[in-house]
Amino acid sequence: MTREDGRYRVQNLEPGGPYTVTARRIGMQPQTLDNQLVPLSETLTLDFKLTQQVAQLSSVQVVATTNAGEFSATHTGTRTAISDSVLQRIPTTTRNLTDFVKITPQISSTGPGSSAGGMSNRMNNVQIDGATERDVFGLGATGAPGAEVNAKSISVEAVKELQVLLAPYDVRQGNFGGFLLNAITKSGTNDFHGSIFHAFRNQSYGADTAPVRAQPFNRSQTGFSLGGPIIRDKLHFFTANEWTTENTPVTGPYADQPASAAQKFALSPDTLARFVDIMKSLGSKDLGSAGAVNIPNPLANIFARLDYRLNDVHRVVLRYNYSDGERLRQQNNRGTTAVVFSDNFHNFRNVKSAPVLQFFSNFGSGAANELFIGYNKWFNRRDPLSTFPQIRINAQPGVNGNTSILAG
């Protein structure tokens, strides 16, 4: 039933579609609009103008009047919408949602992170289906959990639509001073659908230079998505999972590097061996290496979603979002006058677990309600490769001048 002014409103619909909407009234000719797509954070306007047709019930004539009414589509502030097809077409090497903010004209990505309105990247926020995915530690460039280990919030395969919000009016979309990256996830349907992918590159795809080609430098990305019915028209599932393994050489000159390297290693073999002997005599069991060292960076993303329609009024959505990232991290950088042993590095691991429960209700009176319960747990840990204290030698004569040596 329309309201007194001829308007009608249906809330809490899943964005996307396609939807079929039918208007019918006793004494009026029914009208159906097919293939309607509901935009994210917008009101879809559908106008019906029904024509009269003769109808009688128990010898009582029904007289109906039409009120087409107008209901303008509302936009909730300055924003850029990024559809599923755009997500599939725009190239990305990391497959991270934050890569896609670059198509928003109000955002600059020239600094350590993305900035909107000149604000620091630490003032941004990320939401997945309304659940906050903010980097509460605040040191990652992307603003998402695990950014310091290159982890991402969710697989791109799980995202149905993405929007970058700069000044939204919705009170649920706040807690930021720069921009809000808001993503909604896919759900299962009555048809099984899915995807699978694998991408690989190594040092042969990089520049033909000695530092690049002489060490392992590779990335492998594998993942899949699958959705479908458990009970048709009642219970549906969707899952999207992704695994990445990456090896990156530690930057800077290193011992026993190719003679053609542009930057020369700072110490002679005799000086290097003498330092190792002194460290061992002090009790250091394993200095690691001053030579070529790779930084392993394994990442994992798991997403699962269940949609259960209890009846025509109530439906339940249960989601689980998990990410696990680990990276060997340099405590101090190598250089032409700085020699750093690998036992000076540390392992950095970030694990996120985020379950969410939503209960939607659409009542016959036109009222709607959403119950939202979310929980976000982080595990953030750094483990040194050595328990031996850090030892630093300054002003040691070397090949390129006075050199510092670090180990432990």
Side-chain angles (χ1 to χ4, degrees):
M1 295 290 293
T2 62
R3 299 179 183 180
E4 291 182 356
D5 57 359
R7 297 179 182 178
Y8 49 89
R9 191 174 186 183
V10 181
Q11 303 184 80
N12 278 345
L13 295 178
E14 282 285 330
Y19 286 93
T20 296
V21 185
T22 300
R24 54 180 176 262
R25 173 80 169 171
I26 297 177
M28 314 298 292
Q29 181 70 39
Q31 183 182 358
T32 298
L33 298 179
D34 294 315
N35 298 319
Q36 302 298 318
L37 299 178
V38 177
L40 179 60
S41 293
E42 289 186 33
T43 298
L44 175 65
T45 300
L46 298 179
D47 291 326
F48 292 89
K49 187 173 182 179
L50 306 186
T51 59
Q52 293 185 359
Q53 68 177 7
V54 178
Q56 284 189 346
L57 294 176
S58 302
S59 300
V60 177
Q61 185 177 6
V62 177
V63 180
T65 59
T66 62
N67 188 337
E70 294 183 1
F71 193 73
S72 300
T74 59
H75 293 264
T76 58
T78 306
R79 68 184 185 90
T80 297
I82 306 170
S83 65
D84 179 41
S85 60
V86 175
L87 289 174
Q88 299 299 324
R89 291 199 307 267
I90 295 180
T92 169
T93 55
T94 63
R95 296 180 55 82
N96 197 324
L97 292 183
T98 55
D99 283 355
F100 299 97
V101 302
K102 59 190 176 187
I103 69 175
T104 303
Q106 297 92 342
I107 291 180
S108 170
S109 300
T110 58
S114 298
S115 171
M119 302 298 290
S120 167
N121 64 296
R122 294 186 178 91
M123 300 294 290
N124 302 329
N125 197 0
V126 180
Q127 284 186 350
I128 306 294
D129 287 324
T132 298
E133 286 276 331
R134 191 180 193 137
D135 178 14
V136 294
F137 197 67
L139 294 182
T142 65
E148 288 182 277
V149 297
N150 299 324
K152 46 185 173 284
S153 294
I154 195 171
S155 171
V156 176
E157 299 296 313
V159 178
K160 178 164 61 175
E161 194 169 349
L162 186 68
Q163 54 178 191
V164 182
L165 302 167
L166 298 168
Y169 303 138
D170 193 329
V171 296
R172 296 171 297 180
Q173 297 168 340
N175 196 26
F176 69 94
F179 68 85
L180 169 64
L181 184 64
N182 183 36
I184 59 171
T185 58
K186 298 176 182 177
S187 59
T189 66
N190 278 336
D191 299 317
F192 285 98
H193 57 89
S195 63
I196 187 170
F197 69 90
H198 175 73
F200 174 79
R201 64 160 292 171
N202 59 17
Q203 60 274 10
S204 299
Y205 292 84
D208 191 7
T209 60
V212 174
R213 297 294 178 92
Q215 304 176 68
F217 189 6
N218 53 65
R219 178 193 291 137
S220 176
Q221 297 169 309
T222 304
F224 73 93
S225 67
L226 180 64
I230 299 176
I231 304 174
R232 292 182 63 84
D233 299 322
K234 196 79 172 177
L235 179 61
H236 302 92
F237 78 94
F238 180 82
T239 182
N241 310 287
E242 186 170 326
W243 297 269
T244 300
T245 57
E246 182 173 340
N247 286 286
T248 306
V250 172
T251 58
Y254 56 91
D256 301 322
Q257 65 184 10
S260 58
Q263 296 181 334
K264 303 301 180 184
F265 183 63
L267 297 179
S268 66
D270 292 341
T271 303
L272 190 66
R274 185 160 60 93
F275 177 79
V276 172
D277 290 340
I278 293 174
M279 288 292 291
K280 289 183 177 179
S281 67
L282 293 175
S284 177
K285 297 180 180 179
D286 184 9
L287 280 74
S289 173
V293 177
N294 265 72
I295 298 177
N297 190 194
L299 307 171
N301 283 89
I302 296 175
F303 175 80
R305 170 171 170 161
L306 287 174
D307 290 73
Y308 183 47
R309 182 167 294 279
L310 299 174
N311 48 44
D312 291 340
V313 177
H314 307 293
R315 65 184 177 94
V316 178
V317 177
L318 177 63
R319 301 191 313 273
Y320 180 71
N321 191 10
Y322 173 87
S323 68
D324 186 348
E326 186 175 359
R327 188 171 187 264
L328 181 64
R329 197 159 181 251
Q330 294 173 256
Q331 185 72 22
N332 297 280
N333 294 326
R334 293 176 172 181
T336 55
T337 58
V339 175
V340 182
F341 282 78
S342 61
D343 73 334
N344 187 248
F345 302 166
H346 63 268
N347 272 320
F348 185 8
R349 189 180 181 198
N350 183 282
V351 180
K352 178 206 67 181
S353 180
V356 171
L357 174 67
Q358 289 173 283
F359 188 87
F360 298 94
S361 300
N362 275 345
F363 301 101
S365 62
N369 187 61
E370 175 189 351
L371 172 66
F372 185 100
I373 302 174
Y375 178 74
N376 200 324
K377 180 182 179 181
W378 278 28
F379 174 85
N380 220 333
R381 184 176 177 86
R382 294 165 175 79
D383 290 314
L385 300 187
S386 171
T387 58
F388 194 82
Q390 176 177 289
I391 300 295
R392 182 186 182 101
I393 306 296
N394 291 321
Q396 171 65 37
V399 175
N400 304 312
N402 287 340
T403 299
S404 62
I405 311 174
L406 285 89

